[in-house]
Amino acid sequence: MSNKVNKNVLRAGTITAGTALMLLMSSPAFALTRDDGDDPGPGLSVIQTLGLYVAAPIVLFLIIAGLVMAGDKADKKAKSKG
């Protein structure tokens, strides 16, 4: 194998090992022990979860995209008149 291939393999291995290490370090090792002042609220229903994590971002995206398109159309009309 050439020197360039060895460098690429070493780089890929390092990135893979680093990613795996970061994932292991961020895992909730003591998730079952409660901390002082830990008072989780009631869980979300399926409808609430879908609304919060699916519908709300889509609606926000559409609102922002609509505002950008409206501003772009207004800018084109002003340039064509002047």
Side-chain angles (χ1 to χ4, degrees), residues 1-74:
M1 290 196 330
S2 71
N3 194 18
K4 186 173 184 176
V5 173
N6 286 338
K7 285 183 180 179
N8 286 340
V9 169
L10 183 63
R11 185 179 297 135
T14 303
I15 290 173
T16 303
T19 303
L21 183 64
M22 291 297 157
L23 286 172
L24 286 173
M25 287 174 41
S26 67
S27 66
F30 300 106
L32 295 177
T33 43
R34 295 279 182 209
D35 291 332
D36 290 339
D38 188 15
D39 188 19
L44 297 174
S45 70
V46 174
I47 299 298
Q48 289 173 330
T49 304
L50 288 175
L52 184 61
Y53 294 108
V54 177
I58 290 173
V59 168
L60 285 172
F61 173 80
L62 292 175
I63 289 171
I64 293 169
L67 290 171
V68 169
M69 289 180 2
D72 188 45
K73 287 182 182 179

